[in-house]
C-alpha cells in the first residue's frame, strides 16, 4: 500500500544566504517559520511548444523553460523580545522582509537608552537579501534557492494581523526527506499576536486627523516585482531578482462628517500627508521598549478615488492610497518599527 501524506504535516524553514543564489547548508529546527495558508508550486515557468504540422491531428512536444519554484504563506504580525537588561531580539519574520527588499536597522528609541530597543524596517533598492527555503510536505521535500519575493500586510478589526509572503526560487528536484533530517520546527522565538481592536490598535492617524476616524481595515501591498532571470552562454546566470517596487494599499474607515475629514476633496486635489498606525497595545510607558509595539509609518501618502460602502448598517469609506518616497534619496515610503 502506498504511503498517504498528511496535509496538516508541513514544515517550512528559511535561512538567509551568505551568497545570494548559493544554497545554505545546516538548516535547523530553529529556522522554522510559523505559517498558515501555505501553498507550494514546485515547478513553474512554462513550456515552449514545437507546434509542428503533420498529416494527422495530435499534440506536439512541449519542453519546459525557465523552470523555477514558488511558495506562498502567511505569518502572524507580532513583535520581538527584550529580556530584562538585554538588547532587542528582532521578530523572526525579519529575514523574510529582508528577501522582499527591506533593510533592518537596530537602534535606540532615544540616544540615552542603555540598550538597543527598536528594530526598524525600510525598503531598499538593490543588494537585497536572498533565502534558502526548505519546504517539507510531510515526507516530500522541496528546496528553493535564491528566494526573493513580495509581501503584503493586513490589519483588520477583530482579526489577527498578518504578513503574506510570495517567494520565487530556483528549481531543484524534489526528494523524499532522509531519515534524521529536520522533521520538526522550533517556534520559541515567534511571539503571540494581538488582534486588531481599540485596545490593541490605539493609534491611527491620517493626514493630520488623529481622533475622528474609526479604522476598520488596513491593507498594504509592497508591490515588489520579482522575476526569474536566465540566459544563454557561459556568462548567463540563473537568478531571482527584484526589478521594481510600487507599494499601494487600501484603508477602510467608518464614514464621518465631511467637516471632520473629506477624502474626496483630498484625492481630487492630489493632497499628500502622513499615515501612522501603532499596534500591540497602548502606546504608553508600560508597553514601550519591550518590542511588543509595532508602528507602521507612511510619511507621504496620496489618496486615490475613495468610494462608499457599508457594514452592519454603517456607512464606510474605502480609500485606496499610494505611499510616495518622502526624502531626496527615497527608500522611505514605508517604515515598520518594532519597539
Amino acid at each position: 500500500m502506498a504511503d498517504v501524506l498528511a496535509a496538516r504535516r508541513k514544515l517550512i524553514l528559511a535561512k538567509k544566504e551568505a551568497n545570494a543564489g548559493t544554497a545554505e547548508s545546516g538548516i535547523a529546527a530553529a529556522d522554522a517559520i510559523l505559517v498558515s495558508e501555505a501553498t507550494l508550486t514546485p515547478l513553474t515557468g512554462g513550456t515552449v511548444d514545437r507546434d509542428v504540422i503533420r498529416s494527422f491531428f495530435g499534440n506536439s512536444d512541449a519542453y519546459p523553460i525557465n523552470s523555477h519554484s514558488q511558495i506562498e504563506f502567511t505569518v502572524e504580525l507580532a513583535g520581538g523580545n527584550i529580556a530584562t537588561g538585554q538588547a532587542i531580539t528582532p521578530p523572526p519574520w525579519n529575514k523574510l522582509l529582508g528577501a522582499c527588499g527591506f533593510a533592518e536597522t537596530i537602534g535606540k528609541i532615544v540616544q540615552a537608552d542603555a540598550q538597543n530597543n527598536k528594530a526598524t524596517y525600510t525598503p531598499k533598492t538593490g543588494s537585497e537579501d536572498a533565502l534558502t527555503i526548505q519546504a517539507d510536505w510531510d515526507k516530500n521535500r522541496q528546496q528553493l534557492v535564491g528566494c526573493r519575493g513580495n509581501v503584503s500586510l493586513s490589519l483588520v478589526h477583530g482579526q489577527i494581523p498578518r504578513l503574506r509572503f510570495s517567494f520565487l526560487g530556483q528549481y531543484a528536484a524534489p526528494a523524499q526527506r532522509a531519515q534524521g533530517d529536520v522533521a520538526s520546527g522550533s517556534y520559541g522565538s515567534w511571539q503571540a499576536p494581538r488582534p486588531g481592536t481599540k485596545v490593541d490598535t490605539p493609534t491611527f492617524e491620517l493626514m493630520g486627523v488623529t481622533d475622528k476616524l474609526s479604522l476598520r481595515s488596513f491593507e498594504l501591498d509592497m508591490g515588489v516585482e520579482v522575476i526569474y532571470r536566465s540566459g544563454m552562454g557561459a556568462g548567463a546566470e540563473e537568478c531571482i531578482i527584484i526589478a521594481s517596487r510600487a507599494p499601494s494599499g487600501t484603508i477602510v474607515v467608518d464614514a464621518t462628517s465631511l467637516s471632520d475629514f473629506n477624502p474626496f476633496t483630498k484625492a481630487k486635489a492630489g493632497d499628500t500627508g502622513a499615515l501612522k498606525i501603532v499596534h500591540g497595545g497602548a502606546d504608553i510607558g508600560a508597553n514601550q521598549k519591550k518590542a511588543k509595539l509595532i508602528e507602521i509609518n507612511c510619511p507621504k501618502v496620496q489618496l486615490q478615488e475613495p468610494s462608499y460602502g457599508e457594514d452592519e448598517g454603517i456607512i464606510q469609506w474605502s480609500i485606496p492610497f499610494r505611499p510616495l518616497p518622502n526624502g531626496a534619496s527615497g527608500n522611505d515610503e514605508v517604515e515598520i518599527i518594532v519597539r
Side-chain angles (χ1 to χ4, degrees):
M1 180 178 176
D3 282 343
V4 175
L5 305 183
R8 296 290 295 185
R9 185 175 164 81
K10 297 173 182 175
L11 175 64
I12 297 175
L13 307 102
K15 191 171 183 178
K16 178 181 173 180
E17 294 173 353
N19 298 298
T22 300
E24 282 294 311
S25 60
I27 295 177
D31 298 311
I33 309 297
L34 187 62
V35 309
S36 58
E37 302 174 312
T39 60
L40 174 65
T41 306
L43 179 61
T44 187
T47 58
V48 59
D49 198 321
R50 291 182 65 193
D51 196 23
V52 296
I53 298 174
R54 297 173 293 202
S55 60
F56 50 86
F57 296 146
N59 286 321
S60 299
D61 320 41
Y63 300 113
I65 56 171
N66 299 327
S67 296
H68 59 279
S69 301
Q70 181 174 1
I71 190 168
E72 298 180 283
F73 51 81
T74 298
V75 306
E76 297 167 332
L77 180 63
N81 185 50
I82 297 180
T84 302
Q86 301 297 313
I88 187 172
T89 299
W93 40 260
N94 65 339
K95 59 186 173 184
L96 305 176
L97 281 188
C100 294
F102 276 81
E104 179 183 67
T105 303
I106 305 298
K108 302 175 181 180
I109 295 175
V110 295
Q111 193 60 39
D113 291 333
Q115 300 286 349
N116 289 327
N117 46 32
K118 73 172 181 177
T120 303
Y121 302 92
T122 52
K124 66 178 182 177
T125 300
S127 301
E128 300 90 357
D129 294 343
L131 298 172
T132 295
I133 297 178
Q134 181 176 294
D136 288 355
W137 258 226
D138 201 333
K139 295 180 181 179
N140 293 344
R141 172 168 295 174
Q142 186 73 40
Q143 187 180 68
L144 297 81
V145 178
C147 292
R148 292 186 171 116
N150 182 44
V151 60
S152 58
L153 187 156
S154 175
L155 176 57
V156 179
H157 179 262
Q159 298 183 25
I160 291 171
R162 300 183 186 276
L163 295 166
R164 178 71 178 174
F165 292 94
S166 177
F167 289 107
L168 300 184
Q170 297 173 25
Y171 173 79
Q176 184 168 320
R177 178 170 49 81
Q179 187 71 27
D181 279 359
V182 173
S184 61
S186 174
Y187 305 102
S189 60
W190 292 83
Q191 303 299 313
R194 300 295 304 172
T197 64
K198 179 177 175 60
V199 172
D200 289 296
T201 317
T203 301
F204 171 59
E205 301 175 6
L206 178 62
M207 304 183 92
V209 177
T210 62
D211 59 354
K212 301 293 185 181
L213 296 174
S214 176
L215 179 65
R216 299 295 297 178
S217 68
F218 170 81
E219 307 281 344
L220 174 65
D221 188 330
M222 287 303 298
V224 180
E225 182 185 3
V226 186
I227 62 174
Y228 167 88
R229 187 73 174 170
S230 186
M232 299 182 293
E237 181 181 5
E238 180 187 18
C239 57
I240 309 297
I241 65 172
I242 291 178
S244 69
R245 179 183 70 244
S248 61
T250 301
I251 304 160
V252 176
V253 297
D254 289 343
T256 186
S257 170
L258 293 174
S259 61
D260 290 333
F261 186 79
N262 190 328
F264 306 100
T265 58
K266 292 182 182 297
K268 180 65 169 60
D271 291 347
T272 60
L275 182 154
K276 177 181 178 179
I277 296 173
V278 177
H279 175 76
D283 195 3
I284 58 176
N287 291 328
Q288 294 170 352
K289 303 181 184 180
K290 294 186 177 181
K292 306 299 182 186
L293 300 179
I294 298 171
E295 181 178 327
I296 302 165
N297 289 312
C298 298
K300 187 178 181 181
V301 300
Q302 190 175 50
L303 307 188
Q304 309 279 301
E305 299 183 351
S307 60
Y308 278 105
E310 60 180 72
D311 178 61
E312 298 179 330
I314 302 299
I315 296 174
Q316 295 184 319
W317 289 326
S318 179
I319 310 174
F321 68 92
R322 177 179 294 181
L324 302 176
N326 189 43
S329 300
N331 295 317
D332 58 356
E333 65 266 41
V334 175
E335 180 183 57
I336 302 172
I337 303 173
V338 178
R339 56 180 176 84

